[in-house]
Amino acid sequence: MIPIARPLVGDAEAEAAARVVRSGWLTQGPEVAAFEAEFAALVGAAHACAVSSCTTALHLALRAAGVGPGDEVVTVSHSFIATASSVRYCGAVPVFVDIDPATYNIDPALVEAAITPKTKAILCVHQIGMPCDLPALVAVARKHGLRLVEDAACAIGSEIRIDGRWEPIGRPHGDIACFSFHPRKVITTGDGGMLTTNDAEYDRLFRLWRQHGMSVPDTVRHGSRSVIFESYPVLGYNYRMTDVQAAVGREQLKRLPDIIARRRALAHHYRERLAGIPGVSPPVEPEWARSNWQSYAVRLDDGLEQRGVMQALLDRDIATRRGIMCAHLEPAYGQEPWRAGSSLAESERAQGTVVLLPLYAQMSEEEQDQVIDALAAVVADARTGGGAGARKG
Ligand SMILES: *Cc1c(COP(=O)(O)O)cnc(C)c1O
């Protein structure tokens, strides 16, 4: 069976986790601080704050951006549901605009028309690792005095060319970027997230809110020679990352360059071989973007039925996933609160015609050829009428 993804973890991570357990300091300690410093240096951000997931990172980012009850946030429906849900955690209304059908990312041309006096922020997503058009989004945000938050859940290691220089996603180019370390992403801590920003005040708020709104962090209390009574000036949450997770994350950061290089080589090979399969289009990478290929998304032409193609591949021991979901089509979004800021036709079409193929750093060329050969056979079957399940009609 060829899986859709497989985290690259091993002895280094196991030993790092054991080191923390033996140290006796299991959360909000030296490993979290070191992971934050190393992550900030990697993406070129002034500050990085570790939290329990990207979803909690998004909640804190939007709260810092001033998003509250009754406000609106312009974002995409075509994303993992956590993007839109983080807006609702703030009591605000997600306003969905459509995607660019080539990149599956927010179409910057549609954002301006969706802005109202209630809009506080734009929440863009670097979908499955593909950078979105940040210069265009920054321009709209600045023009309207809005904060730009980047959902970079999948985008560690992705790069964008700005003023002729390649820069990592996460500097951030907007105001705040949020990353995920779920095992389905490129590097993992089991669960975990990171907020990056160049704004010291935002970073102070993230640290306050992730730890119950407590005025004095554990590190300060533990190190103090005089008695300290903490206070709780604001409502906070428990959004902490543990030191066990952070120690694993530090080992993952060491692997990141090799993981990205391998994923890019595999993506290159997919692109070359897909050229010989009619009806299946490879993903589009703008010349100013370098994806980390967190997922490899192919588009099926009209005439090929998504579920049938996926089932036929599964019958050949190859796992795939449907293209990115649309939050507004889920029962949890059946009623308000959300609003369409444009037609969502391309978002819905992408959900129904895109298939994600297996891609992971340990994948061998033989495994990859197995996937492509199976896909070619399934498509050929469907086109000649043999694979009725995969043929539309
Ligand atoms: C995975 C993902 C999230 C959620 O990340 P968690 O760490 O699981 O909370 C949010 N947004 C996008 C776009 C994602 O792909």
Side-chain angles (χ1 to χ4, degrees), residues 53-56 58 79-80 82-83 125 127 151 153-154 179-182 185 191-192:
S53 71
C54 183
T55 306
T56 55
L58 289 166
S79 181
F80 182 58
T83 307
V125 185
Q127 201 57 260
D151 181 343
C154 298
F179 294 86
S180 171
F181 306 119
H182 182 269
K185 317 301 185 187
D191 256 312

PDB file of all heavy atoms in Angstrom, residues 53-56 58 79-80 82-83 125 127 151 153-154 179-182 185 191-192, ligand 1:
ATOM      1  N   SER A  53      -1.099  24.280  18.207  1.00  0.00           N
ATOM      2  CA  SER A  53      -1.490  23.884  16.843  1.00  0.00           C
ATOM      3  C   SER A  53      -1.534  25.129  15.970  1.00  0.00           C
ATOM      4  O   SER A  53      -1.449  26.256  16.471  1.00  0.00           O
ATOM      5  CB  SER A  53      -2.867  23.206  16.835  1.00  0.00           C
ATOM      6  OG  SER A  53      -3.882  24.157  17.090  1.00  0.00           O
ATOM      7  N   CYS A  54      -1.719  24.911  14.674  1.00  0.00           N
ATOM      8  CA  CYS A  54      -1.898  26.076  13.793  1.00  0.00           C
ATOM      9  C   CYS A  54      -3.275  26.702  14.032  1.00  0.00           C
ATOM     10  O   CYS A  54      -3.444  27.909  13.896  1.00  0.00           O
ATOM     11  CB  CYS A  54      -1.752  25.670  12.329  1.00  0.00           C
ATOM     12  SG  CYS A  54      -1.860  27.065  11.197  1.00  0.00           S
ATOM     13  N   THR A  55      -4.243  25.886  14.387  1.00  0.00           N
ATOM     14  CA  THR A  55      -5.584  26.418  14.633  1.00  0.00           C
ATOM     15  C   THR A  55      -5.557  27.406  15.802  1.00  0.00           C
ATOM     16  O   THR A  55      -6.150  28.491  15.721  1.00  0.00           O
ATOM     17  CB  THR A  55      -6.566  25.264  14.934  1.00  0.00           C
ATOM     18  OG1 THR A  55      -6.485  24.319  13.866  1.00  0.00           O
ATOM     19  CG2 THR A  55      -7.981  25.758  15.059  1.00  0.00           C
ATOM     20  N   THR A  56      -4.866  27.042  16.880  1.00  0.00           N
ATOM     21  CA  THR A  56      -4.774  27.973  18.015  1.00  0.00           C
ATOM     22  C   THR A  56      -3.908  29.176  17.635  1.00  0.00           C
ATOM     23  O   THR A  56      -4.180  30.299  18.074  1.00  0.00           O
ATOM     24  CB  THR A  56      -4.243  27.264  19.277  1.00  0.00           C
ATOM     25  OG1 THR A  56      -2.999  26.623  18.997  1.00  0.00           O
ATOM     26  CG2 THR A  56      -5.226  26.223  19.769  1.00  0.00           C
ATOM     27  N   LEU A  58      -3.843  30.557  14.678  1.00  0.00           N
ATOM     28  CA  LEU A  58      -4.722  31.441  13.896  1.00  0.00           C
ATOM     29  C   LEU A  58      -5.664  32.228  14.809  1.00  0.00           C
ATOM     30  O   LEU A  58      -5.909  33.417  14.587  1.00  0.00           O
ATOM     31  CB  LEU A  58      -5.537  30.610  12.893  1.00  0.00           C
ATOM     32  CG  LEU A  58      -4.758  30.019  11.717  1.00  0.00           C
ATOM     33  CD1 LEU A  58      -5.593  28.955  10.999  1.00  0.00           C
ATOM     34  CD2 LEU A  58      -4.337  31.121  10.743  1.00  0.00           C
ATOM     35  N   SER A  79     -10.218  25.784   1.763  1.00  0.00           N
ATOM     36  CA  SER A  79      -9.075  25.575   2.648  1.00  0.00           C
ATOM     37  C   SER A  79      -9.490  24.524   3.662  1.00  0.00           C
ATOM     38  O   SER A  79     -10.688  24.205   3.774  1.00  0.00           O
ATOM     39  CB  SER A  79      -8.722  26.875   3.376  1.00  0.00           C
ATOM     40  OG  SER A  79      -7.602  26.690   4.234  1.00  0.00           O
ATOM     41  N   PHE A  80      -8.537  24.026   4.431  1.00  0.00           N
ATOM     42  CA  PHE A  80      -8.919  23.174   5.540  1.00  0.00           C
ATOM     43  C   PHE A  80      -9.837  23.998   6.457  1.00  0.00           C
ATOM     44  O   PHE A  80      -9.643  25.198   6.629  1.00  0.00           O
ATOM     45  CB  PHE A  80      -7.683  22.673   6.291  1.00  0.00           C
ATOM     46  CG  PHE A  80      -8.033  21.750   7.412  1.00  0.00           C
ATOM     47  CD1 PHE A  80      -8.750  20.590   7.180  1.00  0.00           C
ATOM     48  CD2 PHE A  80      -7.676  22.053   8.710  1.00  0.00           C
ATOM     49  CE1 PHE A  80      -9.105  19.736   8.217  1.00  0.00           C
ATOM     50  CE2 PHE A  80      -8.017  21.214   9.756  1.00  0.00           C
ATOM     51  CZ  PHE A  80      -8.737  20.055   9.509  1.00  0.00           C
ATOM     52  N   ALA A  82     -10.179  24.640   9.426  1.00  0.00           N
ATOM     53  CA  ALA A  82      -9.644  25.429  10.543  1.00  0.00           C
ATOM     54  C   ALA A  82      -9.453  26.904  10.178  1.00  0.00           C
ATOM     55  O   ALA A  82      -9.537  27.777  11.046  1.00  0.00           O
ATOM     56  CB  ALA A  82      -8.313  24.836  11.008  1.00  0.00           C
ATOM     57  N   THR A  83      -9.200  27.183   8.909  1.00  0.00           N
ATOM     58  CA  THR A  83      -8.998  28.577   8.490  1.00  0.00           C
ATOM     59  C   THR A  83     -10.249  29.395   8.823  1.00  0.00           C
ATOM     60  O   THR A  83     -10.183  30.402   9.536  1.00  0.00           O
ATOM     61  CB  THR A  83      -8.707  28.645   6.975  1.00  0.00           C
ATOM     62  OG1 THR A  83      -7.638  27.764   6.663  1.00  0.00           O
ATOM     63  CG2 THR A  83      -8.363  30.067   6.551  1.00  0.00           C
ATOM     64  N   VAL A 125      -4.193  32.053   2.625  1.00  0.00           N
ATOM     65  CA  VAL A 125      -3.685  30.703   2.874  1.00  0.00           C
ATOM     66  C   VAL A 125      -2.674  30.347   1.784  1.00  0.00           C
ATOM     67  O   VAL A 125      -2.973  30.512   0.603  1.00  0.00           O
ATOM     68  CB  VAL A 125      -4.836  29.662   2.847  1.00  0.00           C
ATOM     69  CG1 VAL A 125      -4.318  28.287   3.233  1.00  0.00           C
ATOM     70  CG2 VAL A 125      -5.981  30.088   3.751  1.00  0.00           C
ATOM     71  N   GLN A 127      -1.902  27.634   0.152  1.00  0.00           N
ATOM     72  CA  GLN A 127      -2.582  26.338   0.096  1.00  0.00           C
ATOM     73  C   GLN A 127      -1.646  25.212  -0.326  1.00  0.00           C
ATOM     74  O   GLN A 127      -0.959  25.323  -1.328  1.00  0.00           O
ATOM     75  CB  GLN A 127      -3.784  26.445  -0.853  1.00  0.00           C
ATOM     76  CG  GLN A 127      -4.833  25.386  -0.628  1.00  0.00           C
ATOM     77  CD  GLN A 127      -5.359  25.388   0.804  1.00  0.00           C
ATOM     78  OE1 GLN A 127      -4.940  24.574   1.633  1.00  0.00           O
ATOM     79  NE2 GLN A 127      -6.261  26.299   1.114  1.00  0.00           N
ATOM     80  N   ASP A 151      -2.136  32.165   6.739  1.00  0.00           N
ATOM     81  CA  ASP A 151      -2.261  30.774   7.166  1.00  0.00           C
ATOM     82  C   ASP A 151      -1.200  30.005   6.376  1.00  0.00           C
ATOM     83  O   ASP A 151      -1.412  29.625   5.215  1.00  0.00           O
ATOM     84  CB  ASP A 151      -3.673  30.245   6.895  1.00  0.00           C
ATOM     85  CG  ASP A 151      -3.851  28.800   7.352  1.00  0.00           C
ATOM     86  OD1 ASP A 151      -2.833  28.113   7.569  1.00  0.00           O
ATOM     87  OD2 ASP A 151      -5.011  28.361   7.478  1.00  0.00           O
ATOM     88  N   ALA A 153       0.054  27.143   7.375  1.00  0.00           N
ATOM     89  CA  ALA A 153       0.037  25.812   8.010  1.00  0.00           C
ATOM     90  C   ALA A 153       0.923  24.816   7.265  1.00  0.00           C
ATOM     91  O   ALA A 153       1.661  24.052   7.876  1.00  0.00           O
ATOM     92  CB  ALA A 153      -1.394  25.279   8.084  1.00  0.00           C
ATOM     93  N   CYS A 154       0.818  24.855   5.928  1.00  0.00           N
ATOM     94  CA  CYS A 154       1.508  23.843   5.108  1.00  0.00           C
ATOM     95  C   CYS A 154       2.806  24.362   4.500  1.00  0.00           C
ATOM     96  O   CYS A 154       3.424  23.657   3.697  1.00  0.00           O
ATOM     97  CB  CYS A 154       0.587  23.405   3.972  1.00  0.00           C
ATOM     98  SG  CYS A 154      -0.930  22.644   4.529  1.00  0.00           S
ATOM     99  N   PHE A 179       1.972  28.591  11.420  1.00  0.00           N
ATOM    100  CA  PHE A 179       2.427  27.297  10.876  1.00  0.00           C
ATOM    101  C   PHE A 179       1.846  26.137  11.678  1.00  0.00           C
ATOM    102  O   PHE A 179       1.545  26.281  12.859  1.00  0.00           O
ATOM    103  CB  PHE A 179       3.954  27.211  10.930  1.00  0.00           C
ATOM    104  CG  PHE A 179       4.648  28.194  10.022  1.00  0.00           C
ATOM    105  CD1 PHE A 179       4.922  29.487  10.458  1.00  0.00           C
ATOM    106  CD2 PHE A 179       5.013  27.827   8.735  1.00  0.00           C
ATOM    107  CE1 PHE A 179       5.558  30.392   9.612  1.00  0.00           C
ATOM    108  CE2 PHE A 179       5.648  28.724   7.895  1.00  0.00           C
ATOM    109  CZ  PHE A 179       5.923  30.016   8.332  1.00  0.00           C
ATOM    110  N   SER A 180       1.768  24.975  11.012  1.00  0.00           N
ATOM    111  CA  SER A 180       1.311  23.744  11.671  1.00  0.00           C
ATOM    112  C   SER A 180       2.423  22.703  11.670  1.00  0.00           C
ATOM    113  O   SER A 180       3.179  22.580  10.700  1.00  0.00           O
ATOM    114  CB  SER A 180       0.103  23.162  10.929  1.00  0.00           C
ATOM    115  OG  SER A 180      -0.217  21.868  11.449  1.00  0.00           O
ATOM    116  N   PHE A 181       2.470  21.903  12.738  1.00  0.00           N
ATOM    117  CA  PHE A 181       3.382  20.758  12.808  1.00  0.00           C
ATOM    118  C   PHE A 181       2.617  19.445  12.976  1.00  0.00           C
ATOM    119  O   PHE A 181       3.092  18.507  13.608  1.00  0.00           O
ATOM    120  CB  PHE A 181       4.385  20.946  13.960  1.00  0.00           C
ATOM    121  CG  PHE A 181       5.135  22.252  13.893  1.00  0.00           C
ATOM    122  CD1 PHE A 181       5.024  23.190  14.917  1.00  0.00           C
ATOM    123  CD2 PHE A 181       5.939  22.552  12.806  1.00  0.00           C
ATOM    124  CE1 PHE A 181       5.697  24.399  14.853  1.00  0.00           C
ATOM    125  CE2 PHE A 181       6.628  23.759  12.730  1.00  0.00           C
ATOM    126  CZ  PHE A 181       6.502  24.693  13.758  1.00  0.00           C
ATOM    127  N   HIS A 182       1.395  19.417  12.433  1.00  0.00           N
ATOM    128  CA  HIS A 182       0.635  18.169  12.392  1.00  0.00           C
ATOM    129  C   HIS A 182       1.380  17.179  11.478  1.00  0.00           C
ATOM    130  O   HIS A 182       2.050  17.596  10.530  1.00  0.00           O
ATOM    131  CB  HIS A 182      -0.776  18.469  11.848  1.00  0.00           C
ATOM    132  CG  HIS A 182      -1.665  17.275  11.813  1.00  0.00           C
ATOM    133  ND1 HIS A 182      -1.744  16.451  10.707  1.00  0.00           N
ATOM    134  CD2 HIS A 182      -2.488  16.746  12.747  1.00  0.00           C
ATOM    135  CE1 HIS A 182      -2.602  15.473  10.965  1.00  0.00           C
ATOM    136  NE2 HIS A 182      -3.062  15.628  12.189  1.00  0.00           N
ATOM    137  N   LYS A 185       1.775  17.571   7.724  1.00  0.00           N
ATOM    138  CA  LYS A 185       2.553  18.677   7.141  1.00  0.00           C
ATOM    139  C   LYS A 185       3.992  18.220   6.871  1.00  0.00           C
ATOM    140  O   LYS A 185       4.342  17.064   7.137  1.00  0.00           O
ATOM    141  CB  LYS A 185       2.523  19.891   8.067  1.00  0.00           C
ATOM    142  CG  LYS A 185       1.168  20.211   8.671  1.00  0.00           C
ATOM    143  CD  LYS A 185       0.064  20.500   7.656  1.00  0.00           C
ATOM    144  CE  LYS A 185      -1.208  20.925   8.391  1.00  0.00           C
ATOM    145  NZ  LYS A 185      -2.371  21.072   7.544  1.00  0.00           N
ATOM    146  N   ASP A 191       1.605  17.249  17.258  1.00  0.00           N
ATOM    147  CA  ASP A 191       0.736  18.400  17.056  1.00  0.00           C
ATOM    148  C   ASP A 191       1.566  19.600  17.444  1.00  0.00           C
ATOM    149  O   ASP A 191       2.514  19.480  18.213  1.00  0.00           O
ATOM    150  CB  ASP A 191      -0.515  18.326  17.948  1.00  0.00           C
ATOM    151  CG  ASP A 191      -1.761  17.912  17.164  1.00  0.00           C
ATOM    152  OD1 ASP A 191      -1.994  18.491  16.081  1.00  0.00           O
ATOM    153  OD2 ASP A 191      -2.482  17.021  17.632  1.00  0.00           O
ATOM    154  N   GLY A 192       1.197  20.770  16.952  1.00  0.00           N
ATOM    155  CA  GLY A 192       1.964  21.964  17.317  1.00  0.00           C
ATOM    156  C   GLY A 192       1.784  23.052  16.289  1.00  0.00           C
ATOM    157  O   GLY A 192       1.325  22.795  15.166  1.00  0.00           O
TER     158      GLY A 192
HETATM  159  C1  LIG B   1      -3.538  21.748   8.601  1.00  0.00           C
HETATM  160  C2  LIG B   1      -4.089  23.084   8.409  1.00  0.00           C
HETATM  161  C3  LIG B   1      -4.557  23.850   9.481  1.00  0.00           C
HETATM  162  C4  LIG B   1      -4.672  23.304  10.888  1.00  0.00           C
HETATM  163  O1  LIG B   1      -3.457  22.965  11.465  1.00  0.00           O
HETATM  164  P1  LIG B   1      -3.469  22.238  12.913  1.00  0.00           P
HETATM  165  O2  LIG B   1      -2.037  22.341  13.354  1.00  0.00           O
HETATM  166  O3  LIG B   1      -3.905  20.835  12.684  1.00  0.00           O
HETATM  167  O4  LIG B   1      -4.377  23.001  13.788  1.00  0.00           O
HETATM  168  C5  LIG B   1      -4.995  25.134   9.218  1.00  0.00           C
HETATM  169  N1  LIG B   1      -4.987  25.647   7.993  1.00  0.00           N
HETATM  170  C6  LIG B   1      -4.567  24.934   6.921  1.00  0.00           C
HETATM  171  C7  LIG B   1      -4.562  25.572   5.578  1.00  0.00           C
HETATM  172  C8  LIG B   1      -4.110  23.630   7.093  1.00  0.00           C
HETATM  173  O5  LIG B   1      -3.712  22.923   6.025  1.00  0.00           O
END
